[in-house]
Amino acid sequence: MALGLSVIFGVVRVVNFAHGEMMTVAMYLTLVLFGALKLDPLVLLVPIAAVLFVFGYLLQVGLINPFINRPEHSQFMLLVAVALILVNLQLIVFGPDAQGIRTTYSFDSFQLGPLIVDAAKVYAAGAALVVAAALFAFFRFTLLGKAIRACADNYEGARVVGLNVKHLYALTFGLGAACVGAAGAMLMAVIDVTPTIGPAYTLLAFVIVITGGLGSMPGALLGGLLIGVTEALGGVLFTPSAKSMFAFALLVLVLLFRPQGILGRKAA
Amino acid sequence: MITRLLEGVPRRGLAMLATLLVLLLLFPLFASGYLLAIGFLILYFAYVGQAWNIMMGFAGQLSLGHSLYVGLGAYAAAALYVHFGLSPWVGLAASITVCALAGTVIGFLAFRFGVAGVYFAILTIAFAEFARIGFDHFTWVRGSSGLFLPVANYTENDLWNLRGSPRMFYYLMLGLTVGAFVLCHVLLRSRMGYYWLAIRESPEAAQALGVNIFRYKMYAVVLSAAMTSLAGVVFAFYYNNLFPEQIFHISRSIELILGPIIGGIGTLIGPLVGALLLTGLAEGMGELLLALGVDVPGVKQVFYGICLLAVVMFLPDGVWPPLARALGLERKDKD
Amino acid sequence: MKRRQFTQAAAGLAAATTLAPFGIARAQSRTLKVGVLLPRSGVQAGIGQDCHRGVQVATGILKDLGLPGLEIMNGDTESNVDVARSRAERLISEGAQLLVGAFDSGQSTAIAQVAEQRGVPFVINIAAAPPITEQGYKFVFRNFPTAPMILGDAFANQLEVFSMSGAAPNTAVFMHVNDTFGVAMQKGFTGVMSKFTMPYKVVDTIAYDPAARDLSVEVAKAKATGAQALILVSRLNDAILLTRELVKQRWSPMAVLSMGPGWYEDQYLKTLGKLGDGPISFVPWYDPNKKLAKQLEAAHRKAFPDINLNTNHIYTFEALLIAADAFKRAGSTDPKALADAIRATDIKDNVSTGPGIKFDAKGQNDKLKNSAIQNRGGKLVVVAPKAASNAKPELPIKPYDKR
């Protein structure tokens, strides 16, 4: 999920404040499809990512493209409005109660010596790694991927060379949205969804992405790992209710001393 | 001095402002309790929006964690009142100090380390969240169970202790809003105002001319924080209870910047116009839906969001500039 | 001359405007306009909408009881204190003669102030923060236990449960959500517990963030204490999360004792199925043996067949019951008369557990008793206090991996 944000911000330079809300849309979609088709959410991942891709693409073309060169606060307002609409539409359609899906492995756990590991999370993590690898390969090895990276590095240069930047931006947003979609599907295997969980995830995604490095994919993964460990340690060593504070403290430190993130490149 | 302040302001504009002021002063006399509550909210958001505008519109820093200052200001004055019985007029000295300090820290960290743009915004969010969780555990102010101010009667207006009728709070807020408006106008006309303009338009050129960018950006940030703290003080005494979960929440930060963005960043009357428009829109939508018999929760917010979207897309500079043009208030000497 | 006349007229106008609400309300009318304020959107939407179900069932039953009609005016507080306040003002401006609401302590306080200023009675259905009825309000009434009351009854009921089921834990770990309710409960915990001789010792207290997405660390910490029982104050989402962690981390305490919402709610039972059986919740509830309770249960089952009758429905219903009853005795819609009538309320034939509805000088019903309910077979049974129960408690609960 943070990967998606990293991709979007790294390339299109738009801060997607509706990121978390897009994920809840994906989660609700998973819920509906699971109910209708009874397929495992990790399998549903693919079609849902596809749907979100289209959604992201359309969103970019329709609403965001005109905003590329507008100041940050305008972009921010735009996405805040989108987020507001999405959250309340979900409230109207799905109601406020938490809804979840149960798979055969919802409650399984593996025992590795003294460690007990949650099975559902392991599967979801595996799926996440697969998606991340696929994305990485795409950017590294395909022509399209390289084109997108070119746009990120040098907007003017890309246009000079003849790349259709608008289209590529839309594609990138779509890709980022697809990541979000995949994340949503994976998350459904682990938690329940209500219309209002979006914003917390948007924030989390930002914390992870910035810590790890915007525009760097391994960075997003590293960031996720780091934040997770920090929160867990903080929870164990101090009072658990304050564990998010440690994540934020880490964020502040990163912003101050290494704003490009741990694995990011210095911004052009 | 008055003439110097008023030069360049079109006469029509002055007349309109004066009329508006009179209307605002007379409002409570013929407003119902409901409209008075709405009026208070509009002024509150106009004031806070104006304070935020200083950081954003004048110094160009997008702060998405302004609820931090509201909360700090509120808790400082409220805690002193609850624990020591100190009047909020005394307590607000503490509020301003605490917020100015917070602003200084954030500004210093940001500018010294070159955190700008989006990163700055996220930094402000991080600080607000930090405060939210921190205050949840801060037992001196009762943490997450909430700080309750002892409530007194409403017939007498105790201005010293800020206990009184909604009307008193309305006028208090009106005073603050007018004060902020005048202050901003004065600042914009002053040397600092021009330095801010230079920094906003072209930081490199300004620096080349010898303007100390760091110092003036800091002024903006600290001033904005200090002004916002006053809103927090009023909030605390108006609502008589404070919960960290609510007052430091990011939704509050977003709420208070909607006004100036919609109204027009960097403009003087933008925050007021924005606050008026947004609160009016929200309540109007509610009324409309009620009249149509729709009782589905969430519908109002969807329409509200769509309106926001429309304004942001089609009126990129906010509502005020086109409105000003329509009212014939375009300044002749504008650059 | 002219100016003085004008000022006098203005003053008169101002005076008239402020006094107007009382004047208008003096008129007689056959139905009482009741403004119901609930968080039906925003973060608390789930609970607000659940409370609303209590409203929907109420009007029919009240009519059957021969009580005068209530005209319900719905207001959505949007889980926001600014909106709560302006909605309250709006409803009063539209003629509401009595207010009911609002679940959240912060929003209820804001509404209470409006109610007190305008002299309109406000009956709180649910809000547990003690300060609300300590402010000296004359128009605010709360028919819901405060956190200390919930605690006291919880311990008393626990002793009953232990003796009836023949099993009691020696050690317990206390987990609570770090929000208004959770902290209020935690603060009073040791103090109230010392008034009872409980068989267990609390070995650790673990607080967690209400917005937590993952509670594996907290549960691991709790499991590490080796305590026999798990005592909790949580919300619905955390309850589900915690149970999942209990299963995954393979820890089955002999008793799961909850002193708050979540562990008995429909969503919990539905999501967890047979893994949801066993926990005992010590909460404000209804007395299944009371006549009106049976009536409410039946009406509720007819209107909402998939939803169990719970605290939200019961207390919202009772708030409206109080309103209708007071209206009948006051015989007028004058707010002051209504407030006095509410103060004199004495309803023995009610729904919630305890001797009935009666308010003390502060406007609090301090006679309310709380019950203990246990999840059994996907349904809820009331196990304590004995006089208001319909089943015997079963402890220790079946280990999760044996289900």
Side-chain angles (χ1 to χ4, degrees), chain A residues 212-232:
Chain A
L214 276 167
S216 157
M217 270 161 287
L221 284 175
L222 180 65
L225 211 66
L226 210 61
I227 296 293
V229 170
T230 314
E231 285 207 349

Side-chain angles (χ1 to χ4, degrees), chain B residues 18 22 25 52 58 60 80 123 128 137-138 145 152 166 177 185 189 219 241 270 273 275 292 328-330 333:
Chain B
V22 170
L25 280 169
W52 180 84
F58 301 169
L80 288 177
L123 187 70
H137 294 85
F138 192 7
S145 38
T177 311
H185 180 74
R189 289 298 175 94
Y219 284 155
N241 63 38
V273 170
L292 290 174
L329 291 174
E330 195 70 41
D333 60 353

Side-chain angles (χ1 to χ4, degrees), chain B residues 163-176:
Chain B
R163 317 262 90 221
S165 66
R167 192 173 290 191
M168 182 190 87
F169 282 100
Y170 174 87
Y171 281 121
L172 186 64
M173 211 65 234
L174 181 60
L176 277 176

